[in-house]
Amino acid sequence: MNLALRIAAGLLAAIALAAGGTKTFVPKEKLAAANGGGWTDDASVGFVKTLGVLELLAAVGLILPAVLGIAPVLVAVTAVCWVLLMVGAIITHLRHDEARFTVLNLAYLALAAFVAWGRLGPEPFTG
């Protein structure tokens, strides 16, 4: 179980790193033109960049506390935050008729819920 939780957290971190890097460093106009980026038309540049930074922080929060052994509960807290972020992403993609991305966000949400459940319940980190 511990291995499965570590793999799930690693996958989420990779997803968060890629998505956060894109939102943070790619111009909004390019994001809007990309498949699934239509939602950025309704968002300010600052909002998109803030989401990107939050996703980059999530990538760090899913890995670093466990690796360093400093406040490893932050992995679960980050996973819960990712669940909330995915709820917002699902709502946003539904509003823009991007059902394919809604399904993808549901998968990310399920993965994050698994990490949160596992780390807060059956497989919490022990010193």
Side-chain angles (χ1 to χ4, degrees):
M1 178 73 145
N2 192 38
L3 179 61
L5 289 167
R6 287 182 186 262
I7 291 170
L11 285 172
L12 278 176
I15 292 162
L17 186 64
T22 302
K23 288 181 187 87
T24 303
F25 301 111
V26 173
K28 182 182 158 193
E29 295 75 27
K30 276 191 173 182
L31 288 175
N35 195 10
W39 65 271
T40 59
D41 287 335
D42 296 338
S44 70
V45 173
F47 180 74
V48 174
K49 302 294 181 200
T50 300
L51 280 178
V53 170
L54 289 174
E55 289 174 343
L56 291 173
L57 290 172
V60 172
L62 286 164
I63 300 296
L64 208 55
V67 170
L68 297 178
I70 299 172
V73 72
L74 291 177
V75 173
V77 171
T78 303
V80 169
C81 291
W82 189 262
V83 166
L84 297 174
L85 185 66
M86 288 302 100
V87 168
I90 289 166
I91 292 168
T92 299
H93 285 297
L94 283 174
R95 286 182 178 168
H96 288 87
D97 296 322
E98 298 171 338
R100 185 175 68 181
F101 294 98
T102 299
V103 172
L104 192 59
N105 291 137
L106 276 171
Y108 298 157
L109 184 149
L111 201 57
F114 171 67
V115 172
W117 167 80
R119 290 301 179 206
L120 292 173
E123 287 291 329
F125 289 105
T126 55

